[in-house]
Amino acid sequence: MTMIRIVISGAFGKMGQLALEHIQKRDDFEVVALVDHKGRAHPFLSTYFTVDEALRKESAHVLVDFTTPEVVYENIIAAIRHGTRPVVGTTGLSMGEVETLQALAAEKKIGGVIAPNFALGAILMMRFSEIAARYYSHAEIIEGHRLTKRDKPSGTAAYTDQLMKTSSPIQTEIHSVRLPGLVAHQAVVFGGEGEILTIRHDALSRESFMPGLLLAIEQVMERDELIYGLEKLLDLSL
Ligand code: NAP
């Protein structure tokens, strides 16, 4: 069994902490260091201020990133330059940035995964919406997240919209709700003559993101391109 050596950036954030807990439960994964922009200490793991510094000092197969839209782009570039595969949950990257990163990864022949949503149910919701879009002319996407979420609309809503439009000339609008108490919710409402179809997913806790994250870490070791979207790692054919 090959041990996958992992650095986690944003390690003291909500997703970073949960990712650390779940990764540490796996016998085939090893967290070798953490990255935190405030340099917070961990009882038994080294913490570095930047991804670049961590990957200069530690040899790692995978960088897991749950930080912010402001720093994620530079973090991925640093990972690719060091030959470390990025597995990124941070949202807010533009499609232009994703394409630039894919070109850099291709040049360096390094695999990676950028997944705006690691919840398997959310991936199914997007796929079902993509199929339904072929049969409707109008749909509204209503996404809800906690008050402090920085990007609006969510990466998942923007991506659902993009997927729906690849299979249909459908007209859409995205509505963003930011309220305390929400985790990650999305409804895609299709309107037709005399009917409404609603496809809905609710992430009730951050635990819902962990199976998808662990799957991406496993699978990224077999890939030699930077993949955008967890669905590309799943069999969603009919
Ligand atoms: P969070 O709790 O705010 O964590 C973000 C982390 O990044 C914190 O440790 C924060 O430190 C750190 N940070 C803030 N500014 C930074 C900077 N300039 N440089 C480096 N680090 C910085 O947020 P979260 O809920 O864990 O979410 C993190 C990201 O994951 C967000 O983009 C969110 O949308 C995304 N997310 C994705 C999924 C998915 O399935 N793909 C699921 C949930 C969330 P301080 O707080 O100390 O500043």
Side-chain angles (χ1 to χ4, degrees), residues 128-148:
F128 298 154
S129 300
E130 186 184 355
I131 295 167
R134 296 178 198 152
Y135 303 101
Y136 291 88
S137 57
H138 291 78
E140 306 259 313
I141 299 172
I142 306 159
E143 59 94 349
H145 286 86
R146 67 186 190 283
L147 203 53
T148 50

Side-chain angles (χ1 to χ4, degrees), residues 8 11-12 14-26 31 33-34 42 44-45 64 66 210 213:
I8 303 177
F12 291 85
K14 291 178 283 299
M15 288 296 289
Q17 282 183 44
L18 195 62
L20 175 61
E21 191 187 312
H22 281 255
I23 290 169
Q24 283 183 320
K25 286 184 191 153
R26 291 276 299 243
V31 179
L34 306 177
H42 185 274
F44 51 86
L45 288 166
V64 168
F66 284 105
M210 293 299 120
L213 170 66

Side-chain angles (χ1 to χ4, degrees), residues 144-149 177-185 200 202-206:
H145 286 86
R146 67 186 190 283
L147 203 53
T148 50
K149 183 173 173 63
V177 181
R178 295 288 176 269
L179 284 173
L182 294 177
V183 181
H185 313 263
R200 179 179 182 96
D202 296 279
L204 303 176
S205 83
R206 291 184 179 82

Side-chain angles (χ1 to χ4, degrees), residues 51-199:
V51 169
D52 183 57
E53 186 189 3
L55 297 180
R56 259 191 285 125
K57 299 204 173 133
E58 308 276 353
S59 123
H61 298 109
V62 172
L63 170 78
V64 168
D65 190 288
F66 284 105
T67 54
T68 67
E70 292 80 24
V71 292
V72 62
Y73 183 72
E74 290 305 324
N75 287 353
I76 299 171
I77 288 182
I80 294 171
R81 292 220 164 107
H82 284 281
T84 299
R85 297 166 170 81
V87 171
V88 176
T90 311
T91 54
L93 283 167
S94 70
M95 282 321 290
E97 287 174 323
V98 171
E99 280 161 22
T100 307
L101 293 166
Q102 285 174 324
L104 183 64
E107 191 186 304
K108 302 273 179 197
K109 296 190 175 51
I110 184 121
V113 177
I114 299 174
N117 201 321
F118 279 117
L120 298 175
I123 302 303
L124 292 173
M125 177 253 311
M126 286 190 266
R127 177 76 176 118
F128 298 154
S129 300
E130 186 184 355
I131 295 167
R134 296 178 198 152
Y135 303 101
Y136 291 88
S137 57
H138 291 78
E140 306 259 313
I141 299 172
I142 306 159
E143 59 94 349
H145 286 86
R146 67 186 190 283
L147 203 53
T148 50
K149 183 173 173 63
R150 304 255 184 105
D151 45 321
K152 195 193 271 192
S154 70
T156 300
Y159 192 45
T160 309
D161 191 48
Q162 185 192 326
L163 287 175
M164 284 162 57
K165 285 176 177 158
T166 55
S167 57
S168 157
I170 193 165
Q171 286 188 41
T172 59
E173 198 163 325
I174 305 178
H175 308 272
S176 298
V177 181
R178 295 288 176 269
L179 284 173
L182 294 177
V183 181
H185 313 263
Q186 182 168 302
V188 186
V189 186
F190 296 87
E193 286 305 314
E195 64 162 349
I196 294 288
L197 169 67
T198 304
I199 299 170

